[in-house]
Amino acid sequence: MARLVLVDDPADERLADYVRLRDVSLRRHLETEQGLFIAEGEKVIRRALEAGYRPRSFLLAERWLAGLADLLAAHPDVEVYVVSEALAEEVTGFHVHRGALASLHRQQRHTVADLLTLRRLVVCEDVVDHTNVGAILRSAAGLGFDGCLLAPRAADPLYRRSVKVSMGAVFSLPWARLEDWAEAVPTLRSAGFWTVALALSDDARDLSEVAAEAAADPGRRVALLLGTEGDGLSRRWVEQADVVARIPMARGIDSLNVAAAAAVACYAFGPAS
Amino acid sequence: MARLVLVDDPADERLADYVRLRDVSLRRHLETEQGLFIAEGEKVIRRALEAGYRPRSFLLAERWLAGLADLLAAHPDVEVYVVSEALAEEVTGFHVHRGALASLHRQQRHTVADLLTLRRLVVCEDVVDHTNVGAILRSAAGLGFDGCLLAPRAADPLYRRSVKVSMGAVFSLPWARLEDWAEAVPTLRSAGFWTVALALSDDARDLSEVAAEAAADPGRRVALLLGTEGDGLSRRWVEQADVVARIPMARGIDSLNVAAAAAVACYAFGPAS
């Protein structure tokens, strides 16, 4: 069994990894400086550990001990802070519905070069919402894409909310961050990708037609470019892409949410062959 | 111009419609009792008014007055509470990024009987997350479905967060709440719908095959059944449905988020003919 430590002081230094989990700018600094990220809920914590991420500590309410007993036993040197639900809420700044948190060592497991060897990628330009990044990773993985590249300003896949919404897909789907926004599309093209910008331009082709063209050429490697919430892809990326694809819209609706659009587009390209 | 009222006391009774917007259980009671709902952000407020919902009041920071001037002018009898951003945050309990809120009269615009005359419906069983309900309404509308039925326990489409995530689709897509969970599928079937349960059962057929069968029969009316987050559709609905369709999953991912699955399924059924 891991080492259980009862903590009843919200200012206890040992809880420093878990403070103010909803304060995005504080967390961004703290997690980068300390090299950590937070997983929330038994299922997601389990997937992080199964994927080989190393825990720094756990923070649990007592009633969650039994459900995580096997995981805690597998990490006998890691401290488990056992707290009341009220104290967990005071430290983290929100009600921890699923009762269990883990702080894990942050790792960058893949490089852009690794990603460029894969067959089908989603590429997030400035998708800044953690929920959307998490949902895109989950859908991309589930629908047979092989990895995700993120522009410099896109949200962090290891932020608590991204991890949770991805249901742990962020641990199994390779991803890496591009260093250079301006060179992203030329880099993908010279690596052999057919770059498909998903956008609602008037001169875009229907997504189903673009996907059928890709399906007719099984060797074709596809990079699906997804733009920011609100304004969509930058003009630069749209102009540099090999093709612009649009999802036809009905009833005067002007667009889909980017995570919904990503799911539709990944599905349209069909199962990996 | 509407009547501008400067308010600097967070306890001012006139702000009662806007208190604690993140407190779901308080809001549920308050909004039902008072017959109101909240729209957030200029674009969504504009769409609510264009759709004919009547405002009770507006709550704005001063710098948002100009952007909404035409709307305020069109409602000369409605009070506009002008507050500091700090006071808005104190009253509502969160930072109002988009600076403008409206309280509108709640209306139930469609009945279940109205919905049963339409051609393609999404039907939410116990989808309890407001973000998911909002996203499903937006995707269903944009992808050519005609309406949405909600089981008794599904989340409220007029809750602030649903409205916002739907980007106002909740105002244009007809929806209604089912009174009886147990009789929902038989009711749809006797109204002439082909009921398609979206689920990951082993004996489910591939979604693409099910959608192709529907497309081959242009007169066929489709009701797409979507289950709760986590556990998916109830066994009852799955067993009562005409067909069970699954989205094939890759990379060991066990499922998509329900809003992503809804978008994929609506897209798979193709544009309305």
Side-chain angles (χ1 to χ4, degrees):
Chain A
M1 193 60 174
R3 289 181 289 159
L4 300 188
V5 182
L6 294 171
V7 179
D8 57 12
D9 175 5
D12 192 308
E13 279 296 319
R14 291 172 294 187
L15 306 187
D17 283 8
Y18 301 96
V19 297
R20 291 163 59 191
L21 292 179
R22 276 203 170 147
D23 183 337
V24 177
S25 62
L26 176 134
R27 295 301 307 182
R28 189 180 293 138
H29 289 106
L30 185 154
E31 297 189 6
T32 311
E33 274 170 23
Q34 303 293 320
L36 65 87
F37 71 97
I38 299 290
E40 181 183 354
E42 180 195 329
K43 192 183 276 190
V44 170
I45 293 172
R46 196 172 286 281
R47 288 179 181 172
L49 297 172
E50 284 168 2
Y53 285 92
R54 288 182 304 116
R56 290 162 57 96
S57 66
F58 300 94
L59 180 80
L60 308 177
E62 192 170 352
R63 66 189 176 93
W64 289 89
L65 276 170
L68 288 165
D70 58 322
L71 296 183
L72 304 182
H75 297 89
D77 297 329
V78 179
E79 292 196 327
V80 181
Y81 306 123
V82 181
V83 300
S84 68
E85 295 189 37
L87 188 135
E89 184 165 347
E90 190 173 346
V91 171
T92 62
F94 74 107
H95 180 66
V96 184
H97 289 284
R98 306 202 173 176
L101 295 166
S103 173
L104 300 116
H105 289 280
R106 195 172 265 265
Q107 285 182 307
Q108 183 55 55
R109 298 191 150 187
H110 299 277
T111 65
V112 172
D114 294 337
L115 273 286
L116 292 178
T117 65
L118 301 175
R119 203 176 81 83
R120 297 210 292 198
L121 301 179
V122 291
V123 187
C124 294
E125 200 183 17
D126 297 351
V127 178
V128 295
D129 182 286
H130 295 103
T131 301
N132 285 334
V133 165
I136 289 169
L137 283 160
R138 179 174 173 186
S139 293
L143 294 167
F145 272 58
D146 304 309
C148 177
L149 285 171
L150 300 127
R153 284 200 294 261
D156 175 13
L158 288 180
Y159 186 74
R160 174 185 60 88
R161 183 97 191 117
S162 315
V163 169
K164 182 177 176 184
V165 171
S166 85
M167 288 302 290
V170 60
F171 307 132
S172 57
L173 189 78
W175 56 268
R177 191 171 294 277
L178 292 158
E179 281 179 20
D180 186 346
W181 164 78
E183 287 305 308
V185 181
T187 300
L188 286 158
R189 295 184 66 185
S190 33
F193 284 92
W194 194 45
T195 49
V196 179
L198 199 63
L200 290 161
S201 331
D202 291 334
D203 58 349
R205 291 166 60 192
D206 262 19
L207 173 66
S208 56
E209 184 190 314
V210 172
E213 181 179 333
D217 175 7
R220 190 170 301 195
R221 297 163 66 217
V222 170
L224 180 66
L225 313 182
L226 303 168
T228 188
E229 299 88 356
D231 293 333
L233 281 170
S234 66
R235 181 185 288 195
R236 184 183 188 99
W237 281 30
V238 170
E239 287 177 353
Q240 289 179 332
D242 292 292
V243 59
V244 184
R246 78 194 309 271
I247 301 170
M249 287 289 105
R251 296 187 78 87
I253 300 293
D254 53 8
S255 65
L256 297 184
N257 158 276
V258 63
V264 164
C266 289
Y267 176 78
F269 281 98
S273 53
Chain B
M1 191 63 174
R3 290 180 287 159
L4 300 188
V5 182
L6 295 171
V7 179
D8 56 12
D9 174 7
D12 192 307
E13 279 295 321
R14 291 172 295 186
L15 306 187
D17 283 8
Y18 301 97
V19 298
R20 290 163 61 190
L21 292 179
R22 276 203 169 147
D23 183 336
V24 177
S25 64
L26 174 134
R27 295 300 309 182
R28 189 179 294 137
H29 288 106
L30 186 154
E31 296 188 7
T32 312
E33 275 171 21
Q34 302 293 320
L36 65 89
F37 71 97
I38 299 291
E40 180 183 356
E42 181 195 329
K43 192 182 277 190
V44 170
I45 292 172
R46 197 170 285 280
R47 289 178 181 172
L49 296 172
E50 283 168 1
Y53 285 92
R54 287 183 305 116
R56 291 161 58 96
S57 65
F58 300 94
L59 181 81
L60 308 178
E62 193 170 349
R63 65 188 177 94
W64 289 89
L65 277 170
L68 289 164
D70 59 320
L71 295 183
L72 303 182
H75 297 89
D77 297 330
V78 179
E79 293 196 328
V80 181
Y81 305 124
V82 180
V83 299
S84 68
E85 295 188 37
L87 187 135
E89 183 164 349
E90 190 173 346
V91 171
T92 62
F94 75 108
H95 179 66
V96 184
H97 290 283
R98 307 205 172 171
L101 294 165
S103 173
L104 300 119
H105 290 279
R106 195 171 266 265
Q107 285 184 305
Q108 184 55 54
R109 298 191 150 187
H110 299 276
T111 64
V112 172
D114 294 336
L115 272 286
L116 293 178
T117 66
L118 301 175
R119 203 177 79 84
R120 298 211 290 198
L121 300 179
V122 291
V123 187
C124 295
E125 199 182 18
D126 296 351
V127 178
V128 296
D129 182 286
H130 295 103
T131 301
N132 285 333
V133 165
I136 289 169
L137 283 159
R138 180 174 173 186
S139 294
L143 295 167
F145 272 59
D146 304 309
C148 177
L149 285 170
L150 300 125
R153 284 200 293 260
D156 175 13
L158 287 180
Y159 186 74
R160 175 184 59 88
R161 183 97 190 116
S162 315
V163 169
K164 183 177 177 184
V165 171
S166 84
M167 287 303 290
V170 59
F171 307 133
S172 58
L173 189 78
W175 58 266
R177 192 172 293 278
L178 293 157
E179 280 179 22
D180 185 346
W181 164 78
E183 286 305 309
V185 181
T187 299
L188 286 159
R189 295 185 65 184
S190 36
F193 285 92
W194 193 45
T195 49
V196 178
L198 197 63
L200 290 160
S201 330
D202 291 335
D203 58 349
R205 291 166 59 193
D206 262 18
L207 172 65
S208 56
E209 182 190 316
V210 172
E213 180 178 335
D217 175 7
R220 191 172 301 196
R221 296 164 65 217
V222 170
L224 180 65
L225 314 182
L226 303 167
T228 188
E229 299 89 355
D231 292 334
L233 282 169
S234 67
R235 179 184 289 195
R236 183 183 188 99
W237 281 31
V238 170
E239 286 175 354
Q240 289 178 335
D242 292 292
V243 59
V244 184
R246 77 196 306 271
I247 301 170
M249 287 289 107
R251 296 187 77 88
I253 300 293
D254 53 9
S255 65
L256 296 184
N257 158 276
V258 64
V264 163
C266 288
Y267 176 78
F269 280 98
S273 51

